[in-house]
Amino acid sequence: TFQRQLQQSDCQNVLMKKVFDTHMLFLQINQSAAALKHIFAALRLFVGKFPSAFFQGQADLCGSLCYEILKCCNHRSRSTQTEASALLYFFMRKNFEFNKQKSIVRSHLQLIKAVSQLIADAGIGGSRFQHSLAIINNFANGDKQMKNVNFPAEVKDLTKRIRTVLMATAQMKEHEKDPEMLVDLQYSLANSYASTPELRRTWLESMAKIHARNGDLSEAAMCYIHIAALIAEYLKRKGLFSMGWPAFLNITPNIK
């Protein structure tokens, strides 16, 4: 009935946000496994009908949906885990199709961010969550329509990176009283995202906070310089800034 209004401004409008938030409420309040099955079906229809709400413009709706579905991937019920994994796979597939079969950059980024949040909020990472990651990989392996494109490889890369984040976070918990070891682990995690500037920035900011907390101000400054250089390089490639990262060479040669 309200499709025309929902599609205004490429689905970036107040009504879309209200309809989406109503869908999300069903996942935020505890439901029976039977109800969840219908909620997942409704979300599949919703994403299928309004993909630009998730894969274009602001990433807020995409991030919120990734967070809630991942939470369901850690559910006690095996059937709910499978349903949530299937929805997540469908969501990534839609992202790939929306991007003209080039990549799943947005869902990849938002899922990694959601994993980082859920580690703190819900303690994910145990056998239930690992089981869901295995289900998603199986979907990618068995999807005949996607056999000749790089989508299955992108899905496997994402699940591998999620496992890396989970492992690194578990190690960080072990070393939280050893600031140097903690920062070392964060540094290796930041480096694993050299190709994804937004996530690299997230981890570098996290490192800077630890350094500042320990009174290591020059190290914290180095993190912020690297963040600034990342942004400068991004702006240069967008044609909005002429110098890129070399703008910071006179502060530190380490910027290379």
Side-chain angles (χ1 to χ4, degrees):
T1 308
F2 295 98
Q3 189 162 346
R4 194 170 48 81
Q5 292 96 311
L6 285 165
Q7 285 175 331
Q8 275 175 359
S9 312
D10 284 328
C11 297
Q12 310 290 315
N13 59 69
V14 177
L15 185 61
M16 174 58 79
K17 179 87 174 83
K18 285 182 177 175
V19 174
F20 175 75
D21 286 347
T22 308
H23 276 81
M24 287 299 94
L25 264 177
F26 285 110
L27 292 179
Q28 287 156 0
I29 299 166
N30 285 337
Q31 310 286 352
S32 67
L36 280 169
K37 200 169 185 164
H38 293 292
I39 295 157
F40 292 143
L43 281 167
R44 252 196 306 278
L45 275 172
F46 191 61
V47 172
K49 204 164 200 174
F50 304 107
S52 53
F54 300 94
F55 308 127
Q56 207 170 303
Q58 294 289 315
D60 305 1
L61 302 194
C62 181
S64 302
L65 186 62
C66 288
Y67 181 90
E68 295 301 337
I69 303 174
L70 277 175
K71 214 160 69 178
C72 293
C73 287
N74 204 38
H75 202 275
R76 305 191 283 285
S77 155
R78 271 289 160 101
S79 64
T80 300
Q81 277 177 42
T82 307
E83 292 274 344
S85 304
L87 176 57
L88 201 52
Y89 180 75
F90 169 81
F91 187 70
M92 290 189 283
R93 202 174 190 271
K94 273 280 167 227
N95 188 182
F96 189 72
E97 288 163 3
F98 188 84
N99 281 353
K100 299 182 174 58
Q101 301 206 335
K102 286 186 187 136
S103 72
I104 55 166
V105 167
R106 175 167 290 203
S107 46
H108 180 126
L109 193 61
Q110 296 305 321
L111 282 164
I112 295 287
K113 283 175 102 169
V115 166
S116 310
Q117 289 170 309
L118 280 164
I119 287 163
D121 300 349
I124 61 164
S127 58
R128 288 199 297 239
F129 193 73
Q130 296 288 354
H131 175 70
S132 292
L133 291 179
I135 292 172
I136 292 166
N137 269 341
N138 289 341
F139 280 133
N141 289 330
D143 195 337
K144 289 189 173 70
Q145 285 176 303
M146 290 287 169
K147 244 184 172 52
N148 300 320
V149 290
N150 67 336
F151 178 66
E154 292 223 13
V155 173
K156 281 178 203 157
D157 176 56
L158 173 61
T159 52
K160 188 175 157 193
R161 282 178 182 273
I162 289 174
R163 287 195 174 101
T164 306
V165 171
L166 292 171
M167 265 166 45
T169 313
Q171 286 176 308
M172 282 177 203
K173 271 202 162 55
E174 278 175 45
H175 297 286
E176 57 192 352
K177 301 235 174 357
D178 180 352
E180 286 185 4
M181 184 65 179
L182 184 59
V183 166
D184 256 0
L185 288 165
Q186 290 216 309
Y187 179 66
S188 62
L189 204 51
N191 278 350
S192 74
Y193 281 101
S195 59
T196 317
E198 197 176 330
L199 281 171
R200 185 167 165 76
R201 177 194 163 172
T202 303
W203 290 109
L204 285 169
E205 277 176 343
S206 182
M207 273 173 74
K209 282 175 192 162
I210 293 172
H211 280 313
R213 211 166 48 226
N214 297 329
D216 301 327
L217 300 184
S218 58
E219 284 86 347
M222 196 63 80
C223 292
Y224 286 124
I225 290 274
H226 273 276
I227 292 168
L230 269 177
I231 294 168
E233 189 59 25
Y234 176 78
L235 292 173
K236 184 187 176 187
R237 290 177 192 197
K238 286 265 182 190
L240 299 168
F241 181 62
S242 60
M243 284 188 78
W245 65 264
F248 300 91
L249 266 175
N250 61 344
I251 301 172
T252 170
N254 189 21
I255 211 68
K256 272 189 179 180

